[in-house]
Amino acid sequence: MADVQTTLVLIKPDGVQRSLAGEIITRLERRGLKLVGMKLIQIDEALANRHYEAHVGKPFFPGLVQFITSSPVVALAVQGKNSIEVVRQTMGATDPKSADSGTVRGDLGLDIGRNLVHGSDSPEAAAHELSLFFGSGEIIDWERSIDGWITE
Ligand code: IDP
Ligand code: MG
């Protein structure tokens, strides 16, 4: 299917420290999305700088790098129909205070600097970010028997 996309999700250090990794993965799975890559990693400063390249120079950038490198994250490669948009909708708005109820950030977060999850925002960003976090062979293209019950 042409509209099947693979996107990068990070469960940020606050999500892992608060033992919300399972809850967040469950929400993605229940949406119908498929996990095609998953690992726990400690992001170093070099990777943080590359991942958040678009935010270099913004006032929150130093704090963001400090936070994302402070403790392990769970990196997920998530596949499904329109997964880039669907993941971001499932995550909710960047600032949890304006994120809708029913979203990860709207239900589980309070602070923009502790907003639990990252999701790629475009096909170009997804391809780039997946290549930062997953090597060749670490994304698994597997068949799921329920796929026909999730998408036509
Ligand atoms: P997104 O994560 O919803 O795509 P972006 O604008 O790409 O949001 O910002 C990246 C991350 O930088 C946010 O998830 C958040 O952790 C952090 N961030 C963005 N704006 C602020 C801010 O004004 N204060 C503190 N942290 C911020
Ligand atoms: Mg972003």
Side-chain angles (χ1 to χ4, degrees), residues 52 55 88 94 118-121 129:
Y52 281 126
H55 300 295
R88 287 186 62 89
T94 304
H118 167 85
S120 308
D121 65 4
E129 293 172 0

Side-chain angles (χ1 to χ4, degrees), residues 11 20 39 47 61-62 71 74 81 83 89 126 128 130 148:
I11 302 171
L20 291 172
K39 59 167 105 165
L47 178 56
F61 182 75
S71 183
V74 175
K81 189 173 180 180
S83 66
Q89 188 191 65
H128 175 61
L130 285 166

Side-chain angles (χ1 to χ4, degrees), residues 12 52 55 58 60 64 67 88 91-95 105 111-115 117-119 121:
K12 295 181 180 181
Y52 281 126
H55 300 295
K58 295 184 183 172
F60 60 83
L64 179 59
F67 166 61
R88 287 186 62 89
M91 285 171 18
T94 304
D95 189 344
R105 288 162 167 172
D111 189 319
I112 193 168
R114 298 288 184 271
N115 64 1
V117 274
H118 167 85
D121 65 4

